[in-house]
Amino acid sequence: MASSSTFPTPLESQTFTTMDKDLEAIGAHCQYTYCNQLDFLPFRCESCKGTYCLDHRTETAHKCPRAGEWAAARQTASALSSTTNSSTPGKPTLMTASQCSHPNCKTYINTLNSVGVGCPNCNRQYCLKHRLREDHSCSTLIPIGTRPSTGPTQAEKAKAALGRLRIWGKEKQAAVLPKPKPSTAASRILAVNALKRAAKGDAKVPMDKRIYLHVEAEANTTSSKLLKGEYWYNKEWSMGRILDAAAKSLQVENVNNRGGGEEERLRVFHVEFGRLLEFGEKAGDVCVNGNTIVLLRGVGPAETK
């Protein structure tokens, strides 16, 4: 009958079974060149990503072209993981806990039950009970990480130097400015005239703009035996420029323009006024003929008026 041609071909006439295809789909063939064995539980090489049987699963057995890549990648990942763990602290445990820095406290801090509070003044860790400065006598403790003081600070040195300046200035004032007498004005005129005859300076400075001063330097400031002299300067010059010129004339080492601290900087002390002069002040505004200025080192900045 015509309808009989639609039935499938009997199984006896087929040379293979449809089950064979399902069986091959279960496993995989070994990709080693001389093997090609079908393995139902194959192994994958993590270096070359190939599939191999039990006998050729190792890199040595199948002569892996990328041997060692998997081990190197695992080592790199392990190093990154350890770095991340060390930089990111985990949860506090009893192994990472420490004891409160108060001598009479036995509380463990930095745990899940008790947090630690750091004191920014003494650099110690305390529990919540002793976290305040008054509770752990912070003022009597030496901060951790600081070195004990071996000498006076720069501020103390400057304060002591200014104290010596005031005493020394008063003595100089007594010598330079004696008590007024009937002949005081005439004596001063004679002293200024003598100063003008003995003074030295830049010949380019006009006569009407010259100011004549006594200039001195401390013995420990200059390297020469020349401790004082008489010089003229321009009234329009700043005290900083006069300091440079005076230091050069008296052979005093001047490192003001090299930077550094106040220990090495030179300052100008006005004997009659009894104060340090600012570098920006003009000579004609703060000095008159016959005044005395002194070059001093390491006495700190000028005092505010």
Side-chain angles (χ1 to χ4, degrees):
M1 297 180 61
S3 59
S4 62
S5 61
T6 60
F7 289 98
T9 306
L11 296 177
E12 292 79 10
S13 62
Q14 294 182 2
T15 60
F16 61 90
T17 61
T18 57
M19 190 179 296
D20 294 342
K21 184 176 181 181
D22 294 335
L23 286 174
E24 292 182 358
I26 295 175
H29 287 275
C30 178
Q31 293 182 352
Y32 186 58
T33 306
Y34 302 104
C35 182
N36 201 32
Q37 177 183 351
L38 177 63
D39 197 321
F40 295 105
L41 295 174
F43 297 87
R44 187 182 70 171
C45 177
E46 295 297 336
S47 295
C48 64
K49 307 302 180 183
T51 304
Y52 301 96
C53 63
L54 177 64
D55 295 334
H56 301 110
R57 69 185 186 278
T58 63
E59 294 180 352
T60 305
H62 66 264
K63 300 179 181 179
C64 183
R66 297 181 178 180
E69 284 191 6
W70 173 72
R74 184 177 63 175
Q75 185 176 5
T76 302
S78 177
L80 291 176
S81 176
S82 62
T83 303
T84 303
N85 293 336
S86 61
S87 60
T88 304
K91 294 182 179 180
T93 61
L94 186 60
M95 300 299 294
T96 60
S98 58
Q99 192 170 334
C100 176
S101 298
H102 194 279
N104 299 328
C105 184
K106 305 298 181 182
T107 304
Y108 280 95
I109 57 177
N110 297 324
T111 63
L112 292 175
N113 297 326
S114 179
V115 297
V117 180
C119 178
N121 298 295
C122 63
N123 299 330
R124 290 176 172 83
Q125 293 285 327
Y126 296 94
C127 63
L128 294 177
K129 182 180 178 181
H130 300 108
R131 69 186 186 278
L132 300 179
R133 297 180 59 186
E134 296 78 8
D135 295 332
H136 61 263
S137 303
C138 186
S139 59
T140 61
L141 300 176
I142 299 177
I144 297 177
T146 60
R147 297 180 179 178
S149 178
T150 57
T153 62
Q154 178 59 25
E156 294 174 347
K157 291 180 180 179
K159 186 176 180 180
L162 289 175
R164 294 195 304 270
L165 274 177
R166 292 188 181 96
I167 299 174
W168 182 72
K170 290 180 180 179
E171 296 176 353
K172 283 289 183 180
Q173 285 178 348
V176 175
L177 297 177
K179 293 182 180 181
K181 296 180 180 180
S183 60
T184 300
S187 300
R188 289 183 180 177
I189 293 175
L190 293 176
V192 171
N193 291 334
L195 172 61
K196 290 181 178 180
R197 290 193 299 269
K200 303 176 183 178
D202 189 356
K204 297 180 181 179
V205 178
M207 294 292 296
D208 58 335
K209 291 187 177 181
R210 293 182 182 181
I211 184 170
Y212 298 84
L213 302 174
H214 298 279
V215 183
E216 299 184 14
E218 281 187 318
N220 57 354
T221 303
T222 178
S223 58
S224 68
K225 295 182 179 179
L226 188 63
L227 300 181
K228 60 182 179 179
E230 292 74 28
Y231 301 94
W232 76 70
Y233 305 102
N234 195 323
K235 295 179 180 180
E236 302 297 326
W237 287 3
S238 65
M239 294 309 302
R241 183 173 180 180
I242 292 180
L243 184 148
D244 294 336
K248 184 177 180 181
S249 301
L250 296 180
Q251 300 181 16
V252 177
E253 184 181 7
N254 185 8
V255 295
N256 288 14
N257 297 328
R258 303 179 191 173
E262 287 293 338
E263 300 88 349
E264 300 297 330
R265 293 175 67 88
L266 287 174
R267 295 283 179 176
V268 179
F269 181 73
H270 195 295
V271 174
E272 285 74 17
F273 285 176
R275 69 176 181 89
L276 296 175
L277 301 179
E278 295 283 356
F279 294 143
E281 293 182 283
K282 289 186 178 181
D285 296 337
V286 294
C287 296
V288 295
N289 291 331
N291 284 169
T292 303
I293 60 174
V294 184
L295 305 185
L296 301 175
R297 191 186 307 277
V299 295
E303 293 182 300
T304 57
K305 295 180 182 179

